[in-house]
Amino acid sequence: ICVPTLFLLMSVIFSLHYLGLLFSSKSYIPEFAVVCFIFASGVGWRYAFLKECRNDINVNYVHNFCTDIYTFWIHPLIHFLLPQRSAAFSMPLAICITSLLILAVDSHLKDKKIVFLAGLLMGMLPLLSAHTYIAVGEYAIFICLLFFPFKQPTKWVSTVLYWSVFGFTALALSIPQVIWLLRVPRHGFMTFQAICLETFPGKFTLRKFFKLWWDSLGSFVFLAFLPSMLLMTRRQQMIYLPSIGVFLVSNFICYQPGAMDNNKVFFAGWYPIACLAVSNFFWCIIRNARKNAIFIYCVLGLVFFSFIFGSLVCIYKAAAYSFPLFERSDMNAGEWIMENSRKDTTFLCSWWHSNTA
């Protein structure tokens, strides 16, 4: 872990907390959303009852459940934010842009400085993370459509002009970056295929879709949809619905050859507001618990523990154990390859990231 990533993690937490303040004025909802963001995981904990899984050093109950048993989801802290990857730099920007778009809607599309600033931040994203650029772009399109005054033709022109400030600013900055990125031929990008088929090959079925997300986020993903929507205000629903649009679209488009890279889209365009939705659900249930309050608190505690246990193990293993990518012999082989081969040399080798070639 390097110092810059710790500052990035702090900026993600602060920006998510601010987004929570925009989402709800109720106490503790933003704070609990941060907890959900860091600790939400799936049902990998059920493999803890199998000795061969407990003894496997690579098992973390978030992504790797047991030997050759894994799921789509990766841990937001251990697998995504703390490793040195450019996508980590884009996360605070993504959450800030989402916050600015919400502020724009709350201003009744009057303050153009808000969308201009959002466009400036959006324009920085392509070279930081193309996935985040796609996620925020999808959220922006959905929120524009959701709040577009279709039944008031007199407002059409002013609404289009308002959102154009955001769109043209973002495009003016991002198009040159996109052109530069496209200078190299790429294969397998932007394919229309359900991401669950990478984990469960074969024909797409709803069972595979639901199993993928149940394994990945367990009770969290269930609460993030229907139960939480029922306890939201109208404004909160309108803020959350665009992120559900990002979630649904990104379940059926592979933005890179590996479907697991779609996690970057979910982290930027759906997961932060989903954490707020679940946090709001817990707050509403606890706040309104009257009869059988102790029983309700116990049930909520069990539900909460069910989707954080895997993360607790994952964080503990990452902190307690060392996972070197290379042995000394591998390092020596890699140094020999660098010194004795051209940069365009072709090797027949494993595809794994830690391969020395």
Side-chain angles (χ1 to χ4, degrees):
I1 300 174
C2 298
V3 172
T5 51
L6 294 178
F7 284 110
L8 282 170
L9 177 60
M10 291 172 60
S11 66
V12 170
I13 291 173
F14 290 146
S15 56
L16 178 59
H17 188 269
Y18 179 72
L19 179 62
L21 294 175
L22 290 179
F23 184 81
S24 175
S25 60
K26 307 300 182 183
S27 301
Y28 307 117
I29 289 179
E31 292 79 9
F32 189 68
V34 172
V35 174
C36 290
F37 186 91
I38 294 174
F39 289 102
S41 58
V43 295
W45 51 264
R46 68 185 188 270
Y47 289 91
F49 298 102
L50 301 177
K51 183 178 180 181
E52 61 270 25
C53 300
R54 292 197 305 272
N55 294 338
D56 190 334
I57 190 65
N58 293 311
V59 168
N60 56 31
Y61 304 127
V62 173
H63 178 65
N64 297 323
F65 292 168
C66 198
T67 306
D68 296 327
I69 301 176
Y70 60 92
T71 189
F72 162 82
W73 193 250
I74 59 176
H75 194 275
L77 182 67
I78 302 304
H79 296 151
F80 184 70
L81 290 176
L82 292 184
Q84 297 299 295
R85 58 172 78 238
S86 62
F89 289 83
S90 69
M91 276 300 298
L93 289 179
I95 298 174
C96 287
I97 295 169
T98 303
S99 298
L100 288 169
L101 294 176
I102 294 171
L103 285 172
V105 170
D106 286 344
S107 73
H108 302 286
L109 309 186
K110 299 297 183 183
D111 193 340
K112 293 183 179 179
K113 290 182 290 185
I114 295 175
V115 284
F116 177 70
L117 178 57
L120 288 176
L121 295 178
M122 180 78 173
M124 300 177 186
L125 288 177
L127 288 182
L128 283 177
S129 172
H131 289 82
T132 304
Y133 182 71
I134 291 169
V136 176
E138 290 177 0
Y139 184 88
I141 291 171
F142 283 121
I143 202 170
C144 290
L145 292 174
L146 198 60
F147 285 92
F148 193 85
F150 290 104
K151 296 182 179 180
Q152 298 173 284
T154 55
K155 295 184 177 181
W156 287 3
V157 174
S158 61
T159 302
V160 170
L161 290 175
Y162 181 82
W163 288 115
S164 295
V165 175
F166 168 74
F168 285 128
T169 304
L171 290 173
L173 293 173
S174 60
I175 285 178
Q177 301 173 59
V178 174
I179 292 174
W180 186 83
L181 289 171
L182 295 177
R183 77 194 190 285
V184 178
R186 301 173 187 272
H187 304 284
F189 287 77
M190 296 290 288
T191 57
F192 292 90
Q193 177 179 300
I195 61 173
C196 63
L197 298 183
E198 181 171 281
T199 307
F200 307 111
K203 186 179 179 181
F204 171 78
T205 63
L206 286 176
R207 182 180 180 277
K208 292 179 180 179
F209 172 82
F210 289 121
K211 179 171 174 51
L212 177 79
W213 284 104
W214 179 253
D215 286 350
S216 297
L217 284 172
S219 56
F220 175 90
V221 76
F222 171 74
L223 294 178
F225 287 98
L226 184 60
S228 62
M229 288 288 288
L230 294 175
L231 297 179
M232 288 182 189
T233 64
R234 173 69 174 170
R235 174 185 171 276
Q236 290 172 336
Q237 290 174 348
M238 298 292 279
I239 290 172
Y240 186 35
L241 282 173
S243 69
I244 294 179
V246 176
F247 175 85
L248 293 175
V249 169
S250 300
N251 265 281
F252 296 95
I253 298 178
C254 289
Y255 300 102
Q256 274 190 242
M260 198 170 71
D261 282 294
N262 278 33
N263 274 300
K264 301 171 187 176
V265 178
F266 294 119
F267 281 135
W270 169 73
Y271 188 56
I273 303 185
C275 291
L276 292 169
V278 172
S279 180
N280 183 72
F281 171 84
F282 274 84
W283 185 92
C284 290
I285 297 297
I286 293 172
R287 184 73 175 80
N288 295 291
R290 297 289 188 270
K291 297 180 180 180
N292 302 316
I294 301 298
F295 174 75
I296 292 174
Y297 297 156
C298 290
V299 171
L300 289 178
L302 288 172
V303 171
F304 178 62
F305 185 74
S306 73
F307 68 72
I308 70 164
F309 177 71
S311 282
L312 295 176
V313 175
C314 183
I315 293 172
Y316 166 74
K317 280 200 166 185
Y321 297 97
S322 176
F323 297 90
L325 284 177
F326 300 111
E327 299 290 343
R328 170 46 57 185
S329 59
D330 296 324
M331 292 291 292
N332 293 336
E335 291 169 356
W336 186 91
I337 290 172
M338 286 191 293
E339 294 170 358
N340 295 277
S341 61
R342 301 194 312 270
K343 66 179 181 179
D344 59 348
T345 303
T346 300
F347 291 89
L348 180 63
C349 58
S350 165
W351 60 271
W352 189 239
H353 301 305
S354 61
N355 186 285
T356 53

